[in-house]
Amino acid sequence: MRAAEAVWPVGRMTLQPLTKAIAPLRVYGTENVPLKGGVVLALNHFSWIDPAAFGAASPRTIYYMAKIELHRMPWMGQLIRSFGAYSVRRGESDREAVRFSRELVADGRAVGLFVEGTRQKSGVPGEPKGGASMIALQERVPVVPAAIHGSQFWQLGNFHPVSIAWGEPMDFGGLPANGKGYREASREIGRAIWTLWDFLVDMHELGRPLHATPPATALREMARGDGERDA
């Protein structure tokens, strides 16, 4: 896994320009991504271009949790593992994937999770699963929500513009590390992603201005207070 730290700079010189060329990329709120320390990046998902787009937009090396089927593909598996991706079995409880995710954030890494669990064919963000909130609450690290828009229309060769917005880090320290806390945190993550996605829709309608500030996505005080009472 530590080899990924050497591979990512190479990717930034090769795959990043390619991604920006085939999916013209506009990024907002990069300053919201902490440059150090363990963090969970909670991402929505429309297209196979999304991991490359988020990677090109991120100032951090992202350790992606990726479905095991990708790891079994002869060339794709080797490629994504070289960038630090690790496998998860979809549709079932994969304790090994959760354990490894916790180890990564405890070691100060940035873990990237497509929180809906699969690509959303509806063209709008879906409901987050509990993985991101579970890892964040168990390890007491922040969650940075992020949304992508435009990739649901992107196809190889059509050069459809794609935009990403990074939200403010969300601190779930006031919520208990149990089922109720995971559900509340997941709801907050879902709200944040929708807020960012709506912002991106507006940005596209405005012609994607070079500079704009994503809306606030910090954890609501009401949710934090409820969590403290339930702890």
Side-chain angles (χ1 to χ4, degrees):
M1 277 295 169
R2 293 186 183 276
E5 299 291 343
V7 173
W8 269 73
V10 176
R12 294 190 191 283
M13 292 186 292
T14 56
L15 296 180
Q16 185 182 66
L18 175 61
T19 301
K20 291 181 176 180
I22 65 176
L25 192 62
R26 187 63 48 81
V27 184
Y28 302 98
T30 306
E31 67 278 2
N32 287 326
V33 181
L35 297 181
K36 295 182 180 180
V39 63
V40 176
L41 307 178
L43 320 170
N44 72 307
H45 194 15
F46 294 127
S47 165
W48 64 264
I49 197 67
D50 294 348
F54 278 114
S58 173
R60 296 278 301 269
T61 295
I62 303 177
Y63 291 81
Y64 282 116
M65 180 188 288
K67 61 183 181 180
I68 197 168
E69 290 84 356
L70 289 177
H71 287 265
R72 290 171 175 166
M73 294 175 64
W75 64 272
M76 178 64 75
Q78 184 176 2
L79 176 64
I80 64 176
R81 283 192 296 274
S82 71
F83 279 88
Y86 57 103
S87 64
V88 62
R89 296 188 301 274
R90 295 190 302 171
E92 58 183 287
S93 178
D94 191 337
R95 294 183 179 180
E96 179 62 21
V98 172
R99 181 195 63 78
F100 191 66
S101 301
R102 293 180 61 184
E103 289 181 359
L104 285 170
V105 297
D107 195 35
R109 312 291 178 175
V111 166
L113 300 182
F114 291 104
V115 293
E116 301 133 322
T118 189
R119 289 178 290 176
Q120 300 301 293
K121 297 181 180 179
S122 64
V124 299
E127 182 178 355
K129 308 298 184 184
S133 58
M134 180 183 298
I135 295 162
L137 282 169
Q138 288 180 350
E139 293 300 323
R140 297 301 176 185
V141 297
V143 172
V144 172
I148 192 168
H149 175 60
S151 66
Q152 67 268 52
F153 310 117
W154 183 90
Q155 295 180 3
L156 189 61
N158 72 359
F159 303 101
H160 194 283
V162 174
S163 299
I164 287 172
W166 298 101
E168 300 166 331
M170 306 176 75
D171 178 7
F172 292 110
L175 295 178
N178 58 25
K180 186 171 185 179
Y182 304 152
R183 289 190 295 273
E184 177 62 21
S186 294
R187 284 192 292 268
E188 292 290 340
I189 291 168
R191 292 187 187 105
I193 290 175
W194 262 98
T195 297
L196 295 168
W197 186 77
D198 282 337
F199 161 79
L200 290 176
V201 171
D202 291 341
M203 291 302 99
H204 276 235
E205 291 178 354
L206 293 172
R208 298 204 305 166
L210 284 175
H211 304 290
T213 301
T217 55
L219 182 62
R220 297 176 304 150
E221 290 300 321
M222 182 178 66
R224 187 189 303 253
D226 290 348
E228 290 172 348
R229 286 192 294 272
D230 293 334

